[in-house]
Amino acid sequence: MSARQPLPNWVTIVLMPVLNVLLAFVIGGLAVAIIGENPLDAMWALFYGAFGTGMGWGFTLHYATNFIFTGLAVAIAFKAGMFNIGGEGQAYVAGLGAIMVALWLDQTHWTLVLLGSTLAAMMMGSLWAIIPAWLQAKRGSHIVITTIMFNFIASAFMSYMLAQVITAPGANAETRTINEQGRLPLMSDWFDAFQYSPLNITFFFGIAALIFTYVLIWRTKLGYKIRTLGANKEAARYAGISAVSVIIIAMAISGALAGLMAVNEAVGVQKRLVVGYVHGFGFVGIAVAFMGRSHPVGIALAALLFGALYQGGQELAFELPAVPSDLVVVIQALVILFTGAMGDMFRPLLERIFARRVKPSPEAPTTADTEA
Amino acid sequence: MGATDIILLLDSSVRFAVPLMLAALAGLYSERSGIVDIGLEGKMLGGAFAAAATAAVTGSVWLGLAAAMGVSVVMSMIHALASINFRGNQIISGVALNFLAAGFTVFLGHAWFRRGGTTPNLRPDERFANIELPFAQEFGQVPIIGEIYEQLLSGHSIIVYFAFLMVPVTAFVLFRTRFGLRLRAVGENPKALDTAGISVAMLRYRALVVTGLLCGVAGAFLSTAQGANFSENMTSGRGFIALAALIFAKWRPWQAMWTCLLFGVLSASQIRLQGVEFPMIGEVPVQFIQALPYILTVVLLAGFIGRANPPKAIGQPYVKER
């Protein structure tokens, strides 16, 4: 690249993502205008639905918890240079482990259910991630394609399990419901503000997972190895880091995190396992990780944004029936597109603006010209 | 299972295989040029909606096809913009396009037709009709050969014949034309082409236009030839099976056709294999057969049966040195 005026940090970290997200909402608003409804009403309904009430907050944070797990899963793998788009399948298969342990222990106490299903979910999730990781590390098969394939294999496997093996008597492709004693406590049991919302104790796991990831990646030896491998494979090799073991460990952690979504969603809220319970949340994790720049703080904020979108979308369907709630999927897709795939869209423009404003140096005009 | 049953099975396999073939060939152009395309699914879905919606409103299936191709090309150009100009992550762009299609089709479908996300049912004259080859009825009386002619070869919509035509066409373009040579080269070593004075970006844009056109046809097939309307997520993973087929075929057109036909046979035999007891194995769950294309692709990618080496420059944005 030619010599450029580097943008101030806050511009690349804060302003650019914010502009990208705003653009996504503007285009979403245009879509609302196309079908002849008022975009501002729709956006207000989205916002109020997500943040206007305690219940809205509860739902928003509940969805955000799912996205924290799937987002961190993508981020940790990404730090190791692996693109794990198998969060969807990993969370699905983890649901099997989580629900089976939960149904087994649900006559005892919820603490046992929480502990048991968490371990089972993490184990199953990482199992589903280790196979593609091993295939990548040892056999060189591209992890993106393998994890896509594993999503579909997971979906077929799970519909077999749910339809034939662990089906509740009389039900169609779902397990029985967790017993009263075994259910995870809801936040609304302790805080009245969250009444009628599904926010449960797993939320704290989400917070813990954020802190865990930060410590792991930036404060431990393993994290250093992961970052080195992700930054430069050759350098990692010369430093004596085993790519095979780091890939497998990073993907195992990634799968385990994706698996935690099962505890929140299947055990905590739905209290049983149904077909397709992951509902695309694994894919949203990709967006969350990229928007959050694979950093726990960014991921927390991105997860909150997507959680709000999901919850707002539900409310939108009640408030303005003429605006289909699929608007949320459109906005979400645009956010993924603009922040993930076109993240540098505004860079040339911003560089031009800041080159003029911040410090007019002799280089500034040439940088503007090369990019034009 | 008699000869007639086999012919009928193959006939439905062809119907399953055609959208896969079109999408796999579409992906071939993109991936050979060095751009990963996991957005085949979304482009097909967008095309399927555009075709059904346009045909329902205008009554013309050909306008529907044109709309499908148009929408799919626009989506492909978004992918091109992200991958070529902004040097963004091609996988994320593909994921985003899949979401975009899933969201927009249902959003607009709800708003325009108010039928819960589906488009109105098309009348027979608003769909692609099945073409009877000459003397199909009469010749059909002849055992086996006649039945093959009547059932298997005759009685498909024009898109089916088009799909099979596109296989030799793609093979010719890829291996016998200047464009094809450059296409293969740009996917392997873009720098070499750049040095030779050929625009890498332009070439990749052209490849992605073809990808868009073919995905549009595949989508139109689903909603206006095989089906008679659009319904939510009607591609149901076909774009990814096509991607698997493309990899399984090692990015080659004829092999892609055979792989898609094989996957088509797997789909078509699902219903027939339900409850059938195999010697030694016993009953095979339907879900296993559904998962088989994906399992086979994983096994192939792992190098247990042959090796699938993607184009070398795939997924990397090309940065011209200054």
Side-chain angles (χ1 to χ4, degrees):
Chain A
M1 267 322 122
S2 54
R4 280 189 179 173
Q5 191 85 4
L7 285 168
N9 258 345
W10 69 270
V11 174
T12 45
I13 292 173
V14 180
L15 187 62
M16 269 165 55
V18 168
L19 284 177
N20 288 328
V21 171
L22 275 180
L23 184 64
F25 275 90
V26 168
I27 296 183
L30 284 179
V32 176
I34 283 174
I35 62 166
E37 298 293 324
N38 186 342
L40 291 178
D41 286 353
M43 294 304 161
W44 174 248
L46 271 181
F47 181 78
Y48 190 80
F51 298 118
T53 61
M55 187 187 80
W57 269 100
F59 270 97
T60 298
L61 291 176
H62 162 70
Y63 290 124
T65 309
N66 286 333
F67 297 140
I68 286 174
F69 292 137
T70 54
L72 287 176
V74 176
I76 285 195
F78 196 71
K79 282 282 170 203
M82 297 287 108
F83 203 151
N84 176 17
I85 43 181
E88 191 80 11
Q90 287 144 19
Y92 203 177
V93 174
L96 180 68
I99 207 72
M100 280 175 74
V101 171
L103 293 178
W104 174 52
L105 293 173
D106 69 348
Q107 307 284 2
T108 56
H109 191 260
W110 65 263
T111 43
L112 284 177
V113 171
L114 180 63
L115 214 68
S117 61
T118 302
L119 287 176
M122 288 170 72
M123 269 171 57
M124 292 294 274
S126 53
L127 176 77
W128 209 248
I130 282 174
I131 308 168
W134 183 83
L135 289 170
Q136 163 84 56
K138 280 282 189 190
R139 314 282 314 185
S141 38
H142 203 297
I143 200 146
V144 169
I145 307 291
T146 332
T147 45
I148 293 180
M149 298 301 139
F150 265 68
N151 284 341
F152 284 98
I153 298 171
S155 147
F157 169 67
M158 291 301 289
S159 55
Y160 171 72
M161 293 303 285
L162 283 169
Q164 310 280 339
V165 184
I166 53 168
T167 326
N172 180 27
E174 58 178 55
T175 63
R176 75 171 172 82
T177 309
I178 297 173
N179 262 321
E180 207 66 66
Q181 295 114 292
R183 294 186 185 169
L184 303 188
L186 297 174
M187 291 293 199
S188 55
D189 299 347
W190 302 316
F191 306 103
D192 281 342
F194 292 126
Q195 245 172 5
Y196 311 112
S197 85
L199 190 66
N200 61 74
I201 194 161
T202 328
F203 175 68
F204 296 119
F205 281 29
I207 305 290
L210 287 166
I211 298 166
F212 163 82
T213 308
Y214 177 76
V215 173
L216 174 79
I217 296 290
W218 282 279
R219 291 283 179 271
T220 67
K221 236 170 159 178
L222 175 65
Y224 178 73
K225 287 181 184 176
I226 289 177
R227 280 183 293 138
T228 312
L229 182 75
N232 190 332
K233 257 185 232 160
E234 288 302 304
R237 205 163 62 86
Y238 280 107
I241 294 169
S242 153
V244 173
S245 65
V246 172
I247 287 175
I248 291 179
I249 293 171
M251 281 294 288
I253 299 172
S254 169
L257 283 167
L260 281 174
M261 189 197 137
V263 182
N264 186 37
E265 189 66 38
V267 177
V269 176
Q270 298 176 4
K271 302 176 188 72
R272 59 180 188 278
L273 200 64
V274 297
V275 168
Y277 94 92
V278 186
H279 209 75
F281 288 16
F283 283 116
V284 177
I286 301 170
V288 170
F290 267 76
M291 240 191 94
R293 293 181 174 245
S294 298
H295 191 285
V297 174
I299 288 172
L301 293 173
L304 189 66
L305 170 75
F306 278 92
L309 261 181
Y310 262 78
Q311 166 53 13
Q314 310 288 324
E315 291 299 309
L316 178 72
F318 288 112
E319 292 294 315
L320 297 171
V323 181
S325 62
D326 298 89
L327 172 66
V328 170
V329 184
V330 172
I331 295 178
Q332 180 190 318
L334 292 167
V335 171
I336 299 177
L337 187 69
F338 294 147
T339 59
M342 298 183 172
D344 282 345
M345 198 167 26
F346 289 111
R347 187 184 283 276
L349 180 73
L350 290 172
E351 271 174 349
R352 222 167 299 173
I353 295 171
F354 279 90
R356 258 178 235 150
R357 279 215 187 139
V358 181
K359 34 179 163 170
S361 74
E363 274 174 285
T366 50
T367 51
D369 289 344
T370 46
E371 205 49 54
Chain B
M1 200 153 91
T4 314
D5 283 338
I6 292 177
I7 292 168
L8 285 176
L9 179 78
L10 290 178
D11 181 54
S12 55
S13 307
V14 166
R15 286 166 213 273
F16 278 112
V18 161
L20 301 181
M21 269 166 62
L22 287 164
L25 291 176
L28 190 143
Y29 283 93
S30 164
E31 302 227 327
R32 279 282 187 161
S33 83
I35 307 251
V36 183
D37 198 348
I38 62 168
L40 295 172
E41 174 89 359
K43 287 195 276 283
M44 273 166 94
L45 193 64
F49 176 75
T54 310
V57 172
T58 64
S60 161
V61 69
W62 289 102
L63 281 179
L65 178 66
M69 290 162 89
V71 164
S72 175
V73 167
V74 167
M75 291 179 71
S76 199
M77 290 301 99
I78 296 175
H79 190 50
L81 195 68
S83 328
I84 301 168
N85 300 65
F86 294 120
R87 292 174 209 137
N89 188 311
Q90 299 169 10
I91 290 155
I92 301 214
S93 169
V95 170
L97 287 176
N98 289 339
F99 269 116
L100 197 63
F104 253 122
T105 52
V106 181
F107 177 78
L108 294 177
H110 263 292
W112 286 345
F113 301 106
R114 307 199 177 276
R115 301 165 64 102
T118 63
T119 60
N121 277 323
L122 300 173
R123 292 191 313 271
D125 62 308
E126 293 169 339
R127 298 174 53 200
F128 282 104
N130 291 339
I131 299 170
E132 283 284 302
L133 295 184
F135 308 114
Q137 286 277 308
E138 296 81 344
F139 202 49
Q141 306 307 319
V142 182
I144 301 184
I145 299 177
E147 283 174 87
I148 288 178
Y149 184 73
E150 190 200 352
Q151 300 289 347
L152 195 53
L153 300 182
S154 171
H156 293 289
S157 68
I158 190 153
I159 296 182
V160 174
Y161 300 108
F162 171 78
F164 278 94
L165 180 70
M166 280 317 288
V167 178
V169 167
T170 300
F172 180 81
V173 167
L174 198 60
F175 298 113
R176 294 275 180 276
T177 66
R178 196 164 64 169
F179 173 68
L181 177 69
R182 289 175 175 181
L183 188 72
R184 283 179 292 139
V186 79
E188 297 288 337
N189 190 346
K191 198 168 209 168
L193 258 93
D194 200 14
T195 318
I198 299 158
S199 163
V200 172
M202 197 56 211
L203 199 54
R204 287 185 167 166
Y205 261 100
R206 278 155 70 193
L208 287 186
V209 169
V210 181
T211 302
L213 291 173
L214 288 176
C215 275
V217 180
F221 176 80
L222 290 177
S223 64
T224 57
Q226 197 175 47
N229 69 355
F230 173 87
S231 57
E232 192 174 338
N233 190 27
M234 78 180 304
T235 43
S236 58
R238 282 185 185 83
F240 290 103
I241 300 193
L243 187 69
L246 179 64
I247 295 163
F248 204 82
K250 301 176 186 175
W251 294 269
R252 290 171 299 178
W254 285 104
Q255 286 82 346
M257 181 191 83
W258 291 117
T259 312
C260 289
L261 285 171
L262 171 72
F263 290 175
V265 172
L266 286 177
S267 297
S269 49
Q270 261 171 40
I271 308 131
R272 282 159 183 274
L273 288 177
Q274 209 155 14
V276 176
E277 294 274 338
F278 284 92
M280 313 277 284
I281 311 167
E283 198 178 317
V284 176
V286 197
Q287 289 88 357
F288 178 74
I289 299 162
Q290 279 167 357
L292 208 51
Y294 308 112
I295 296 172
L296 286 175
T297 308
V298 169
V299 171
L300 178 88
L301 271 174
F304 294 120
I305 40 167
R307 260 241 160 262
N309 291 320
K312 275 205 190 62
I314 201 160
Q316 303 153 4
Y318 180 65
V319 182
K320 201 175 173 132
E321 279 179 74
R322 294 214 180 96

